[in-house]
Amino acid sequence: MLVIFDCDGVLVDTETVSAKVLRDCLQPLGIAVSVAEVLTLFRGKSIAVCAEQVAALLADSEPYQSWPVLEREAFAKEFWAKVQQETLVAFESGVAPIAGVRDVLQSLREQGVAFCVASNGRHEKMQMTLTHTALADYFPSANRFSATDVAQGKPAPDLFLYAASKMGARPSECIVVEDSPSGARAARLAGMSLLGYCPAEPLLPRAGTDDLMRAEGAKLFRHMDELLTLL
């Protein structure tokens, strides 16, 4: 068995911080969105898809609406690179591990169960967040996989299939732990078992997300201390 963890929202509690940074970066562009809307639109998406989503928002707003499509897309890519840098700065102020996840990782290590992390985020981002949360020791570089390693990030299955191959596991032997519908779809397309970490979130009503996760075949759980039993 190989357990493949998503990073943001599963190992490290970064989702809300990232959403606030993006909200604040969009405001000077005249795009007003709430943290909940940011989470709905961007959560779990690859860097390329996030840039496309920004371009779509710009297309609905002046003066960007009148720009040529290619110019708008180029601007969106540059903007997203800035958002990534601002997010890393925000993380330096401190991020926390998901409650209970360290006990899960320690138990898996003691039991000799193989595990790794596969994230749509860049390696630099994983390095920072895993280090700040004191989880880096559980994930040596050979056990970290980023969407930048493959042709397409989640929701395509490429990243999970790549991680399994590098870890020497067949897809049927893998259990993915995800918190986003995008990651859930990637796991389903990869032919892997799926556990959906879906805690109660005051900023984002869970009902819609829960339904999307179940539609991808996820077995949902609310607290990380439930995970070992499900595995």
Side-chain angles (χ1 to χ4, degrees), residues 24-37:
D24 293 345
C25 287
L26 286 169
Q27 284 178 345
L29 302 183
I31 299 174
V33 290
S34 67
V35 169
E37 288 171 323

Side-chain angles (χ1 to χ4, degrees), residues 49-68:
V49 172
C50 286
E52 290 172 2
Q53 185 64 60
V54 169
L57 290 174
L58 293 173
D60 292 330
S61 176
E62 287 292 357
Y64 317 101
Q65 194 175 54
S66 58
W67 289 9

Side-chain angles (χ1 to χ4, degrees), residues 6-226:
D6 178 40
C7 190
D8 297 303
V10 172
L11 296 176
V12 294
D13 190 6
T14 56
E15 299 281 22
T16 302
V17 175
S18 298
K20 289 179 178 177
V21 170
L22 179 52
R23 177 202 62 189
D24 293 345
C25 287
L26 286 169
Q27 284 178 345
L29 302 183
I31 299 174
V33 290
S34 67
V35 169
E37 288 171 323
V38 169
L39 289 169
T40 299
L41 290 171
F42 293 89
R43 186 178 199 175
K45 307 290 178 62
S46 68
I47 293 169
V49 172
C50 286
E52 290 172 2
Q53 185 64 60
V54 169
L57 290 174
L58 293 173
D60 292 330
S61 176
E62 287 292 357
Y64 317 101
Q65 194 175 54
S66 58
W67 289 9
V69 173
L70 291 179
E71 185 176 347
R72 195 162 54 230
E73 290 177 349
F75 180 84
K77 288 179 181 179
E78 292 179 6
F79 171 82
W80 192 256
K82 173 190 172 184
V83 171
Q84 288 180 293
Q85 290 301 315
E86 293 293 329
T87 302
L88 291 179
V89 171
F91 287 165
E92 288 183 355
S93 298
V95 293
I98 294 295
V101 77
R102 186 177 284 107
D103 290 339
V104 169
L105 298 176
Q106 184 61 32
S107 181
L108 292 177
R109 173 184 278 180
E110 291 172 356
Q111 294 176 49
V113 177
F115 58 89
C116 64
V117 57
S119 171
N120 264 347
R122 295 180 180 273
H123 281 284
E124 297 90 338
K125 180 181 177 184
M126 277 193 284
Q127 173 65 27
M128 174 176 285
T129 57
L130 292 174
T131 299
H132 274 281
T133 53
L135 297 179
D137 181 56
Y138 290 103
F139 298 96
S141 58
N143 290 37
R144 299 181 196 174
F145 305 98
S146 164
T148 58
D149 299 328
V150 295
Q152 296 185 82
K154 310 170 195 177
D158 304 32
L159 178 56
F160 287 143
L161 292 173
Y162 177 74
S165 175
K166 287 294 187 179
M167 296 292 292
R170 295 188 295 272
S172 60
E173 299 172 326
C174 299
I175 299 176
V176 172
V177 184
E178 264 286 354
D179 72 321
S180 74
S182 176
R185 176 162 297 184
R188 177 177 62 79
L189 293 175
M192 300 177 178
S193 298
L194 174 62
L195 296 175
Y197 176 57
C198 298
E201 296 180 354
L203 290 174
L204 183 64
R206 279 254 49 119
T209 302
D210 286 358
D211 290 343
L212 291 171
M213 296 289 282
R214 290 192 182 98
E216 301 295 347
K219 184 172 184 179
L220 307 189
F221 66 104
R222 304 294 184 196
H223 304 283
M224 199 55 71
D225 56 12
E226 302 172 47

